[in-house]
Amino acid sequence: QVQLVESGGGSVQAGGSLRLSCVASVYIDSRHCMGWFRQAPGKEREGVAGIYGASTDYADSVKGRFTISRDNAKDTLYLQMNSLKPEDTAMYYCAVNRAWGCWKYLLRGDSYNDWGQGTQVTVSS
């Protein structure tokens, strides 16, 4: 089982930026999928961004504003969030899927096996 620890959340005003990080306890190969998900109070969990090798996928609501990246040497996943909006307020989680074929389901939370504890992002208007 992989342990994941997120950091970088906080409170910002609309239009601001944050960079989330997620460090894994074991080596994560570039052929493994990693993703960022979020859940706001009273709402379902939403896939925000996913990465497999050099391929990425994003939710429509964050395209052009968020960028997912990974540093395999550091076993770390990042999410650069720019032009933040109040509707981006949520708990953000990173997750790993090491199963073959994971690239088919980059934004599907139920396909991921290991999850972090989350980091809170709050955007005020």
Side-chain angles (χ1 to χ4, degrees):
Q1 189 174 3
V2 180
Q3 291 185 332
L4 302 168
V5 179
E6 302 98 333
S7 63
S11 297
V12 295
Q13 290 191 328
S17 298
L18 283 173
R19 188 194 195 201
L20 305 184
S21 299
C22 172
V23 180
S25 61
V26 299
Y27 172 69
I28 303 295
D29 193 276
S30 60
R31 291 169 295 178
H32 297 149
C33 297
M34 299 191 76
W36 286 99
F37 297 80
R38 66 186 180 187
Q39 188 166 22
K43 294 188 176 181
E44 293 187 354
R45 183 178 59 195
E46 174 189 20
V48 175
I51 187 168
Y52 169 79
S55 299
T56 58
D57 195 11
Y58 296 92
D60 289 342
S61 59
V62 306
K63 282 181 181 177
R65 300 188 298 121
F66 290 12
T67 302
I68 188 172
S69 63
R70 64 199 297 176
D71 185 337
N72 292 328
K74 297 181 179 180
D75 299 322
T76 302
L77 179 72
Y78 301 101
L79 185 68
Q80 178 67 44
M81 305 186 295
N82 298 328
S83 303
L84 282 161
K85 304 175 181 180
E87 50 263 45
D88 294 318
T89 295
M91 184 71 78
Y92 283 72
Y93 301 89
C94 70
V96 173
N97 181 356
R98 295 182 285 178
W100 184 89
C102 63
W103 61 87
K104 302 176 187 178
Y105 315 107
L106 278 179
L107 298 183
R108 275 185 52 180
D110 59 3
S111 71
Y112 284 77
N113 317 106
D114 299 291
W115 293 80
Q117 295 300 307
T119 185
Q120 178 68 38
V121 172
T122 303
V123 185
S124 58
S125 57

